[in-house]
Amino acid sequence: MKVCVLYLFCFLVWSQLSAQCPIIPTPKEYTQIDLKIPLGNELSLDSNSIHSATWNYLKSNLKLQTGIDLVHNAENPFIELQFKYEFQSLNQNQPIPISNEYGISFNSDKRTIYFATEESKFHAINSLLQLIRQNGMIFYLQGCQLSDSPAFEWRGLHLDVSRHFFTVDEVKRYIDLMALYKFNTFHWHLTDDQGWRIEIKKYPKLTEIGAFRDRTMIGHYSDQPRTFDKTTYGGFYRQDQIREVVQYARDRFIKVVPEIELPGHSRAALAAYPELSCTGDQNEVPGTWGVFDDIYCSKSETIEFMKNVLEEVVTLFPSEYIHIGGDEAPKTRWKKCANCQQVMTENNLHTAHELQSYFIGQMDQFLTSKGKKLIGWDEILEGGLSPNAAVMSWRGVEGGIAAAKQKHEVVMTPTTYCYFDYYQSGHPSEPIAIGGFLPLEKVYQFNPLPEELSELDEKYILGGQANLWTEYIASMNQLEYMTYPRALALAQAVWCKEKPSFDSFLTDFITYQEEYLDRYGVNYARSIHQPKLEITRAKNGINVHFKGIEENYHFMVCTKEIRGFSMSGEQAMGVNDTLFFEHCLPGTQSKTIRTSVLDEAGRQPFTNEFIVHSILGAEIEMITQPHPKYDHNGSLNLVDGIAGTLPWKGSQWLGFDTSYVEFIVDLGTIRTIQELKLGFLDQNGSWIYLPESVSVQISTESKWRSKKMYSKDVDSSNFSISISKKGRYVRVMIHAMDIIPEGQDGGGFAPWTFIDEIQLK
Ligand code: ACM
Ligand code: ZN
């Protein structure tokens, strides 16, 4: 690409906000004092006033970050640690603190940390680490006064180690980073179709066979044809390693909640013990992703097996909660299995959902007898919730609301805000991900407490969690990229009762936290630095605005008109200049304009192609509303010049979960229409299918009765239909299938329809 000669850098002032607080999650009360307290080569504390694990934690982190040594000084420590808070119990031998608070006071006279519990002392230590700032070669303590305590008791991050395996050291690193941001629950997804990762002494084949697969998918699940590497892949944790990780987390006040998936996502276990399935067929540990029909049979032998597995699990994990999965379990096999039918008859069960509820109920009874609590994905509500079960709400918040209303405990982890395996920007350089779009700003909007709940029921919401499913996350580097900085936005949601605005958070993040993450060598995503594209409707076209986020980041926008493969014309624009694209005249050929954003060094091109067609920016009335998860920029998305592309990153397409979609385009004036073009996404792996047919009506006024209907079946993602009629209003009706046929991806469920960019000739 020829580089534009004319560089027109603009100084972009994104925000008038000044940074507020170096600590994330933001403390409940924080006052910065204009004081920098220099630190020498040593920092002293009274080691008698601090638990040895916390002492070691601070010592190693301090050394790692700053090179400063933590030393013991009982008489005159640099920072004093003091019990301060009030206690509930009058029994002086066993006082119970009222809250989990801590406080910090660093002023010119004295430096004191106040705490109520060992846990709150650990929180204070993490805040202390973030208050150590650097000025050239000098480290200093930021003067401040603060008091702080968490809003929610479940502040979780999850990690799927089945799709890709992470070593003990990598898991410890993940836990270490969690501790920095005061997360306290590590949800360890230990078993799934593609690998069983926990040693169970009674069933050695679970790891001998179930922990390894012969091949793994390359590229995206929706790619056709699918390709695989031919390498054996796997690994598992011995029980002594599990204990080591649990202790490591415990030293950081993090509970480890293990997940042993049932009755679905069990192909690895069934590869080891095929007799536990309905068919008894010997299948391999799969190297593809998705949902499989083969699940545990509900017969008594399987229930016995599961209880024996859980018997070992409960001895390894001190956590009160044990996660049993419960999600995405097709009932295809159960419906045809004589054993399952017999269980239904014997227990007076009428539906497959009730059978699942029975299965979960058996686990609930067992775990309760062991003094544990069962937690499962929100599907465990179907067929009736077991008496003691807690629910992890992932398909939205509705499951969580229903469970809380039934007085069951809930952890909120809806895909809309908490699935960190989704794309975090639409930038072309984003590494392949599962799909979906979850930028930092969206995570920041997460509130674990839904408005629908009464104050009385709110207490059942334990907190929130983000999930890291690892189909497309094969390395620690990539895991950190997907987790950070989004985990910081989540930390705000689960720690702060009242969090600052997103802009304020972003300023603090850029000012303080990037440097902090750099100290730890975290491979966090820099997506927020890319200029954001804001498109709005304008008279006869669209305005395109490139919005940057930082004061000192310069970039320019360069446009080129592309005809076929040769290019003609180019023009450089300054940032904050708004580009106006006027639609082309009806009947004339659309043109394509490429815009590139270049930084000062000419790197990181952020490139978009705009199709300047004849209804660019036209008004559209959506009769059918897109699903809120896939409603980006509303109807303008369909006429913003940017055609939905692959890979699907969630933001360019409008997505619908209805079998019928209707919208009406208003052209503003009457004109002749020759042809209508519409793009569809065909990604069956994500349950997104081409619709069956499209019908179109044209009218000079917005009335539709007795208007001629143009209809055509859809057989490709680039749909077009000939019309030849005059009119101002174009009514588009899309007909999708009701249910995906069994045997195909998502069989038995409703398909998704994704559309983008409607064009008329
Ligand atoms: C899930 O994402 N299947 C819980
Ligand atoms: Zn069965």
Side-chain angles (χ1 to χ4, degrees), residues 261 265 327-328 377 379 394 415 419 467 469:
E261 269 269 15
H265 289 292
D327 61 319
E328 298 179 323
W377 301 109
E379 285 93 331
W394 73 280
T415 52
Y419 269 46
N467 297 334
W469 301 103

Side-chain angles (χ1 to χ4, degrees), residues 277-279 296-299 333-334 337-341:
S277 71
C278 290
T279 63
Y296 290 120
C297 179
S298 63
K299 62 194 171 194
R333 298 281 184 262
W334 283 6
C337 168
N339 286 324
C340 288
Q341 296 306 311

Side-chain angles (χ1 to χ4, degrees), residues 33 37 79 103-107 110-114 142-146:
I33 298 173
I37 307 161
I79 299 173
I104 290 180
S105 173
F106 291 162
N107 56 44
K110 223 167 166 238
R111 294 154 301 278
T112 314
I113 287 175
Y114 305 97
Q142 176 61 56
C144 69
Q145 190 85 33
L146 72 86

Side-chain angles (χ1 to χ4, degrees), residues 307 310-311 314 361-374 388:
K307 286 182 182 172
L310 290 177
E311 176 95 51
V314 296
Q362 294 290 308
M363 300 305 122
D364 187 17
Q365 270 177 27
F366 178 77
L367 289 173
T368 303
S369 77
K370 299 286 171 188
K372 300 287 189 184
K373 284 186 181 168
L374 177 147
N388 307 310

Side-chain angles (χ1 to χ4, degrees), residues 513-678:
Q513 290 293 327
E514 291 198 334
E515 183 192 314
Y516 192 62
L517 289 167
D518 284 339
R519 283 188 201 169
Y520 282 89
V522 178
N523 181 39
Y524 58 92
R526 272 82 171 167
S527 320
I528 52 162
H529 291 279
Q530 293 147 8
K532 252 174 43 187
L533 216 61
E534 287 184 351
I535 303 177
T536 47
R537 284 191 169 89
K539 191 166 189 304
N540 298 331
I542 54 167
N543 282 329
V544 180
H545 181 69
F546 293 83
K547 190 178 171 211
I549 64 157
E550 284 172 88
E551 286 188 20
N552 296 320
Y553 185 75
H554 305 277
F555 59 92
M556 55 161 273
V557 182
C558 164
T559 63
K560 286 171 192 252
E561 189 180 318
I562 303 164
R563 296 189 203 284
F565 290 107
S566 66
M567 299 176 193
S568 73
E570 66 183 44
Q571 167 195 15
M573 310 285 299
V575 170
N576 264 356
D577 280 351
T578 297
L579 303 180
F580 170 65
F581 292 135
E582 184 171 10
H583 64 65
C584 70
L585 290 175
T588 63
Q589 188 67 30
S590 65
K591 59 186 175 186
T592 302
I593 294 187
R594 178 181 296 159
T595 62
S596 302
V597 171
L598 303 178
D599 68 8
E600 275 174 279
R603 289 168 315 192
Q604 291 189 324
F606 179 78
T607 304
N608 279 283
E609 289 198 354
F610 290 86
I611 308 163
V612 179
H613 54 77
S614 71
I615 57 166
L616 201 63
E619 291 296 337
I620 297 181
E621 183 190 357
M622 298 304 299
I623 307 295
T624 313
Q625 294 306 318
H627 190 281
K629 256 165 79 174
Y630 304 113
D631 182 5
H632 300 281
N633 229 0
S635 66
L636 177 56
N637 197 316
L638 298 179
V639 282
D640 63 359
I642 302 183
T645 51
L646 289 170
W648 170 55
K649 290 185 184 159
S651 61
Q652 295 149 343
W653 300 81
L654 285 191
F656 300 83
D657 59 354
T658 47
S659 60
Y660 175 71
V661 176
E662 181 182 336
F663 60 90
I664 298 163
V665 186
D666 179 358
L667 305 176
T669 55
I670 295 173
R671 52 171 270 201
T672 304
I673 297 151
Q674 308 279 5
E675 186 189 29
L676 178 148
K677 287 204 237 175
L678 183 58

Side-chain angles (χ1 to χ4, degrees), residues 159-176:
L159 178 62
D160 163 13
V161 292
S162 172
R163 276 54 178 268
H164 282 102
F165 180 66
F166 293 85
T167 64
V168 166
D169 282 348
E170 288 171 333
V171 172
K172 284 183 178 173
R173 159 102 176 162
Y174 192 70
I175 289 170
D176 259 333

